[in-house]
Each structure stands twice: as C-alpha cells, then as structure tokens.
C-alpha cells in the first residue's frame, strides 16, 4: 500500500507571511493524484489543491501552490500571505488509480497562524 | 457543489448498543463510498470501501462483523457499529465519489459523526 508522510506535526506562521508544509509519499505507480486537504476545528474536510502526477506544472490556487517533485516523491504546499482562517490541520493525500481509487492520508500538520 | 450529508453528527450511547451512521450523496450518484475513522489529532484511517450493490472491501485490521457496511443505493451507504464499546469512540467520516467523476476529482466528504460510547 502507498504511504504518505508529513514530517512536521506542527507549524506556525506569522500572519501575512509564507509557510511551506512538507509531504513525501512512497509508491510504485507511475500515475496517480495528489491532494492537500484542510481540516479546521469543525473537522470538515476541505479541498485546498490537487495535482495530477503526469503534469509537470505545479498546481496553484490563489494563495496556495505546490512544489511537486515526482522523482523525489515530494509534494509540498506553500501558503502565501497567511491569514488567520488558514489555521487548521492540513492533510496530504495520495489517490491511486487502481481499483477502488482509495485515498491515503498523511498524518497531518497542525498550522497555527500568529496575529 | 457536490454535497455529502452524514447523519447523525454526534451520538452518545451506552456500551453494547449498536449505532447506525448514514452517508448520503445529495446531488450526485456515488457507486463508491469510503468510511474513515479519525482519532483526536490523528489522520484519517480508511476503514472500508463501500460499493453499491456488492459487499464492502475492508482494510486490514478492520473487523467486518463489528463495522457493518451497507450500500443499498447509489446515494446511501450506512455504517453500523455493532455492540459498541468505549474503544469504538471516535470520529467517523464518510466520503463519496461521483460515478461520473474523473480520477483527478476529489472525494466529497461528509461532516463526520462523533461517536461517544459510555
């Protein structure tokens, strides 16, 4: 099974500053999808950004962007101009294209935004 | 956007009780739904994949007889925790995949159910 690793259990950032959350994964598949989800205290899972593995161009979504390094199996999330509402748990997720199309989640990074 | 409704959002019950949690896709059909369990400050752990009209596929270590899954229609999957005990207390989240969806589409998550067994 695929494994997803987030090596930073907790991170903090000053409001308006930039922060990068790390994610690495292990897979033998050549094609797959990667996602970042945000889980605020309400515990609702909110999609932040997605990346197709076959695309070399890094995905961007407003203040959120990724640095996808396929060879290194790395998928980091950069949050620019951090806002108080960005405070949440962030989960990196891998989606297989095999039967079932399951998601595999990392252990999460708790992001604190300091006013 | 796509919405997944999960009910109930919070349930407290006595040990030995069976508890049913519903997961509904409100504006799309879902041939596949997923059930996750999340302990405090931990990640989502996939419990099982629920397939419409067929048996669920359980992840290793998940007791099939303990966590009964039924996916009787394209818009509803249920998870029943049978004879629940305090160690079953957790946050349970379902997600659904639109049957028309491409592989790059995200799963649509329910808001979760907080289960507390006394």
């Amino acid at each position: 099974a695929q494994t997803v690793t987030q090596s930073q259990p907790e991170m903090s950032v000053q409001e308006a500053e930039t922060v990068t959350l790390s994610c690495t994964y292990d897979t033998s598949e050549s094609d797959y999808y990667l996602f970042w989800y945000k889980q605020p205290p309400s515990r609702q899972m909110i999609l932040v950004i997605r990346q197709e593995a076959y695309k070399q161009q890094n995905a961007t979504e407003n203040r959120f962007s990724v640095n996808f390094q396929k060879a290194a199996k790395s998928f980091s999330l950069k949050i620019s101009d951090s806002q108080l509402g960005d405070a949440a748990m962030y989960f990196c997720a891998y989606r297989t294209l095999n039967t079932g199309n399951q998601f595999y989640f990392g252990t999460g990074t708790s992001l604190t935004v300091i006013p | 956007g796509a919405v997944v409704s999960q009910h109930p959002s919070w349930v407290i019950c006595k040990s030995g009780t069976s508890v049913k949690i519903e997961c509904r896709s409100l504006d799309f059909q879902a041939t596949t739904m997923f059930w996750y369990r999340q302990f405090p400050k931990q990640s989502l752990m996939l419990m099982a994949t629920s397939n419409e009209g067929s048996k669920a596929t359980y992840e290793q270590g998940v007791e099939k007889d303990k966590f009964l899954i039924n996916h009787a229609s394209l818009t509803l999957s249920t998870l029943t925790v049978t004879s629940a005990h305090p160690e079953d207390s957790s946050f349970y989240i379902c997600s659904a995949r639109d049957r028309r969806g491409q592989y790059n589409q995200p799963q649509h998550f329910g808001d979760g159910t907080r289960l507390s067994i006394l």
Side-chain angles (χ1 to χ4, degrees):
Chain A
Q2 286 72 18
T3 58
V4 180
T5 302
Q6 293 178 249
S7 59
Q8 306 152 316
E10 298 179 346
M11 291 283 285
S12 62
V13 61
Q14 206 77 30
E15 193 176 4
E17 296 296 312
T18 296
V19 65
T20 299
L21 308 184
S22 301
C23 174
T24 58
Y25 57 93
D26 185 26
T27 184
S28 58
E29 298 176 338
S30 60
D31 204 8
Y32 46 86
Y33 293 90
L34 298 166
F35 300 83
W36 277 96
Y37 279 89
K38 168 185 177 182
Q39 189 181 43
S42 66
R43 305 192 80 168
Q44 182 184 14
M45 294 292 285
I46 302 168
L47 175 68
V48 175
I49 199 166
R50 77 190 79 174
Q51 174 80 43
E52 292 90 337
Y54 66 86
K55 288 187 177 179
Q56 292 186 335
Q57 186 175 7
N58 290 322
T60 62
E61 195 72 41
N62 300 317
R63 298 183 295 108
F64 299 89
S65 62
V66 299
N67 183 2
F68 173 49
Q69 301 291 326
K70 190 173 184 179
K73 296 179 183 176
S74 171
F75 182 60
S76 61
L77 173 70
K78 185 172 80 171
I79 306 174
S80 304
D81 185 25
S82 297
Q83 301 176 359
L84 295 177
D86 295 334
M89 279 290 288
Y90 285 81
F91 292 100
C92 177
Y94 173 104
R95 182 173 190 177
T96 176
L97 297 186
N98 290 336
T99 303
N101 304 132
Q102 293 97 329
F103 273 53
Y104 297 92
F105 287 89
T107 49
T109 297
S110 177
L111 179 66
T112 300
V113 180
I114 304 167
Chain B
V3 177
V4 173
S5 173
Q6 191 171 338
H7 178 80
S9 58
W10 196 358
V11 58
I12 303 173
C13 58
K14 294 181 179 180
S15 184
T17 307
S18 291
V19 179
K20 179 184 285 187
I21 303 170
E22 293 186 348
C23 180
R24 293 181 185 273
S25 56
L26 298 184
D27 54 359
F28 65 96
Q29 292 183 328
T31 51
T32 305
M33 291 185 175
F34 303 89
W35 288 96
Y36 297 87
R37 182 173 182 175
Q38 186 181 29
F39 290 105
K41 298 185 179 181
Q42 294 189 23
S43 186
L44 281 71
M45 298 301 297
L46 179 65
M47 298 175 64
T49 303
S50 171
N51 301 299
E52 186 268 337
S54 64
K55 292 183 179 181
T57 303
Y58 290 82
E59 295 298 301
Q60 190 174 9
V62 178
E63 298 177 60
K64 301 178 182 181
D65 295 331
K66 177 72 172 178
F67 300 99
L68 299 179
I69 292 173
N70 184 283
H71 193 154
S73 76
L74 287 172
T75 59
L76 173 65
S77 176
T78 61
L79 168 67
T80 301
V81 183
T82 61
S83 186
H85 291 284
E87 59 266 28
D88 298 322
S89 298
S90 188
F91 191 68
Y92 294 87
I93 306 176
C94 74
S95 70
R97 186 170 71 87
D98 191 327
R99 66 183 302 189
R100 302 165 300 174
Q102 297 303 308
Y103 292 127
N104 67 340
Q105 294 303 306
Q107 294 182 7
H108 306 290
F109 286 87
D111 288 342
T113 297
R114 187 183 306 275
L115 175 62
S116 298
I117 308 298
L118 304 178

